[in-house]
Amino acid sequence: MEKFYITTPLYYVNSKLHIGHTYTTVFSDVLNRFHKMRGVDTFFLTGSDEHGQKIFEAATAAGKSPQALADENVQYFKELWKLLNVDYDKFIRTTDAEHENRVGMILQKLYDKGYIYSGKYEAYQCVPCESFWNEKQLEEGKCPSCGGEVNWVDEENYFFSMSKFLPVLQKKLAEDPGLIKPRLRHKEIMGKIKDSMEDKSVSRAHFDWGIKLPFDPEQVCYVWFDAILNYITAIGYPENMEEFNRFWPSDLHVIGKDILWFHTLFWYSILEALDLPLPTVYAHGFWLMKGGKMSKRSGMVIDPFELADKYGIDSLRYFLVSGLPEGLDTEFSEERLVEKFNNELVNIVSNTLHRTLTMLEKYLDGKLLDEIEYGEMEEALKAKFTQYHEEYESAFKQMRLPKAIGAVIDYLREVNAYINDAAPFRTGKNDLKRTSAILYTVLESLRLTAIMLYPVIPDTADKILNKLKYKWDFTSDGHLEWGQLKTDELLEKGEPIFMRLKEE
Ligand code: MSP
């Protein structure tokens, strides 16, 4: 059976999440649902990053223990994902005993192989990013990831011999550019390899909120080393290799562009050291606030709970995944959210359905005739469906969600043009056979579009399919074949599935 293993980053538990984090998770959920509805054996992992100096400092400032702060925010993360219909299979916490034990085993394994050794550590540290850099990596003396201040640290540490693996990686990445997506991110990383050719410290001695090194309990594991291992510990490595081999290599690590270096050069070298095959990483762009970066530190954030409350869950999911073009940064705007919702989900999806069911009630008392005779116009529309469906599938497989969603909406635009040309409002009761064939063609098109939109707006898809009395378990393949809508049910128009939104 085909499988699909997808992950999100583990979010730091020092504070609440904003619309940027929400985007990464919803985007991953949409991709996961797309594969799941094709009958694929999917596994969707998300979770929380709980160790390290940044969390320790945030907890101390709030007068709490790091564990208490983590517990509180994990609860909040889970509530948010539940509200937004994020259907993950596992939520991993880096403080889970299972993860901690497995990280300990991996550290020991690398130490035994001679890939972890002790030495003196000197680097520029960026506490908010939990990152360490050498002189060359700094950009105008600042952290290359967030542009913030860095400070100098030196202590006795353990090092991971990353430099040993980078030449091999360089070759592999040149041969297989598809490992890092989209293309511009692959290019970015290829340009960074030469400045990364040095070993990386993987332990800390000056604080103890972390996983103790099995070979030196005076030191704790560097938080990025601990957290990045979650993608393999969550599925059993190194204890349960049967489960692990079922899903590894993962199919996709979805991340934001800010943590690309860690998820490629750093992560890939660890995998090389463990003799594990490399997975694909997809780095998306950023949602910006007017004129700047959205960040917890600057206080410029948009609260996902607030937005969901104002505009609804599916409108938020829809806007997030259709509104950020591949690889690019875009400004978040409620005005655009409302406009997109009204133009596409209300004017096109909801109105087409309501209008058609109204005609069905009016001319055929809500019941289609059993026999459907297709004419030329219907055959042409079916051919268009095949074409848009292919476009949708191919865009989805390339993670081009705005394009995939665009293909569905464009198809519905064609359906509306077909309604105008075929004119069931003219054939009406005079030619019931013809009217029924036209309405069937439209309702079948709506069934297909509801299924295509299901990964993005699952509740709405469910509502549409309920109105069409179409039963489906959302996890089996074959529902995107034309002609599966039954004609033996009484369909009622009821209330429209969406009303127009106003910006609040
Ligand atoms: N804990 C690390 C990740 C460890 S993974 C082993 C971390 N956490 S984070 O809480 O800071 O979340 C970072 C991720 O949130 C980014 O990589 C990105 O996916 C997402 N985003 C944060 N701000 C964002 C925007 N403004 N826009 C889009 N996504 C953004 O880094």
Side-chain angles (χ1 to χ4, degrees), residues 8-14 17-24 48-49 54 77 128-129 224 227-231 254-259 263 284-288 293-296 324:
T8 72
L10 300 189
Y11 303 103
Y12 286 129
V13 291
N14 60 319
L17 301 176
H18 58 63
I19 211 73
H21 310 106
T22 308
Y23 171 75
T24 312
S48 52
D49 193 349
K54 170 190 178 116
F77 290 4
C129 287
W224 262 104
I228 206 117
L229 289 173
N230 90 88
Y231 303 130
V254 177
I255 56 164
K257 63 178 187 177
D258 56 332
I259 51 177
H263 279 80
H284 60 71
F286 263 48
W287 281 108
L288 305 175
K293 199 175 155 183
M294 194 179 304
S295 90
K296 296 187 269 197
L324 192 63

Side-chain angles (χ1 to χ4, degrees), residues 352 381 410-420 441-442 445-446 449:
T352 310
L381 191 69
D410 284 347
Y411 174 61
L412 273 185
R413 289 199 173 99
E414 300 274 8
V415 172
N416 272 297
Y418 161 79
I419 300 177
N420 289 342
T441 304
V442 177
S445 296
L446 283 160
T449 53

Side-chain angles (χ1 to χ4, degrees), residues 110 113-117 158-167 198-202 225 269-270 273:
L110 294 174
K113 283 185 168 188
Y115 297 153
I116 290 182
Y117 60 90
Y158 287 85
F159 285 80
F160 165 56
S161 39
M162 186 166 152
S163 61
K164 201 187 225 104
F165 303 101
L166 285 174
E198 60 182 5
D199 293 350
K200 191 88 185 144
S201 161
V202 289
F225 194 84
S269 335
I270 301 172

Side-chain angles (χ1 to χ4, degrees), residues 232-476:
I232 55 176
T233 62
I235 52 166
Y237 192 86
E239 283 182 297
N240 183 347
M241 292 307 282
E242 200 181 316
E243 180 69 1
F244 177 72
N245 289 327
R246 188 170 144 218
F247 286 111
W248 197 261
S250 63
D251 296 270
L252 202 61
H253 295 300
V254 177
I255 56 164
K257 63 178 187 177
D258 56 332
I259 51 177
L260 182 65
W261 185 90
F262 285 105
H263 279 80
T264 51
L265 298 184
F266 187 54
W267 177 221
Y268 285 168
S269 335
I270 301 172
L271 291 170
E272 284 290 330
L274 293 170
D275 281 323
L276 293 174
L278 307 181
T280 303
V281 171
Y282 177 88
H284 60 71
F286 263 48
W287 281 108
L288 305 175
M289 295 282 285
K290 233 181 207 103
K293 199 175 155 183
M294 194 179 304
S295 90
K296 296 187 269 197
R297 221 179 333 154
S298 66
M300 295 220 302
V301 292
I302 297 172
D303 178 10
F305 275 102
E306 220 175 274
L307 276 185
D309 189 43
K310 266 200 219 169
Y311 302 117
I313 285 118
D314 277 353
S315 47
L316 179 57
R317 286 179 62 107
Y318 187 80
F319 180 64
L320 283 176
V321 296
S322 60
L324 192 63
E326 186 184 55
L328 303 177
D329 296 345
T330 299
E331 196 178 291
F332 190 89
S333 124
E334 293 186 33
E335 194 186 328
R336 269 186 59 222
L337 183 155
V338 168
E339 195 183 279
K340 210 164 171 49
F341 177 85
N342 287 341
N343 288 348
E344 296 175 8
L345 292 182
V346 181
N347 292 357
I348 301 185
V349 180
S350 178
N351 285 0
T352 310
L353 179 65
H354 197 65
R355 186 180 167 204
T356 313
L357 289 176
T358 305
M359 287 192 272
L360 186 68
E361 272 189 10
K362 187 168 165 197
Y363 305 131
L364 288 143
D365 296 323
K367 207 162 168 304
L368 291 158
L369 302 182
D370 284 343
E371 216 177 300
I372 310 293
E373 215 169 273
Y374 292 128
E376 242 172 64
M377 272 195 263
E378 287 70 37
E379 294 299 346
L381 191 69
K382 274 165 71 180
K384 284 206 170 117
F385 168 71
T386 308
Q387 175 201 326
Y388 282 107
H389 177 213
E390 275 168 16
E391 210 177 282
Y392 161 90
E393 291 265 336
S394 133
F396 238 110
K397 286 180 185 155
Q398 297 170 66
M399 281 81 74
R400 296 200 171 136
L401 301 193
K403 194 159 180 243
I405 296 167
V408 181
I409 298 299
D410 284 347
Y411 174 61
L412 273 185
R413 289 199 173 99
E414 300 274 8
V415 172
N416 272 297
Y418 161 79
I419 300 177
N420 289 342
D421 293 344
F425 37 85
R426 251 181 241 126
T427 52
K429 286 199 181 209
N430 305 330
D431 185 350
L432 286 182
K433 216 171 146 200
R434 179 70 193 137
T435 305
S436 177
I438 302 168
L439 297 185
Y440 181 88
T441 304
V442 177
L443 292 174
E444 174 60 356
S445 296
L446 283 160
R447 182 190 71 81
L448 293 161
T449 53
I451 292 179
M452 289 197 283
L453 288 176
Y454 159 76
V456 184
I457 44 174
D459 281 349
T460 305
D462 203 17
K463 271 193 210 154
I464 299 176
L465 295 171
N466 274 337
K467 272 189 186 275
L468 299 176
K469 304 233 169 99
Y470 183 74
K471 295 194 184 34
W472 176 44
D473 67 1
F474 301 98
T475 57
S476 53

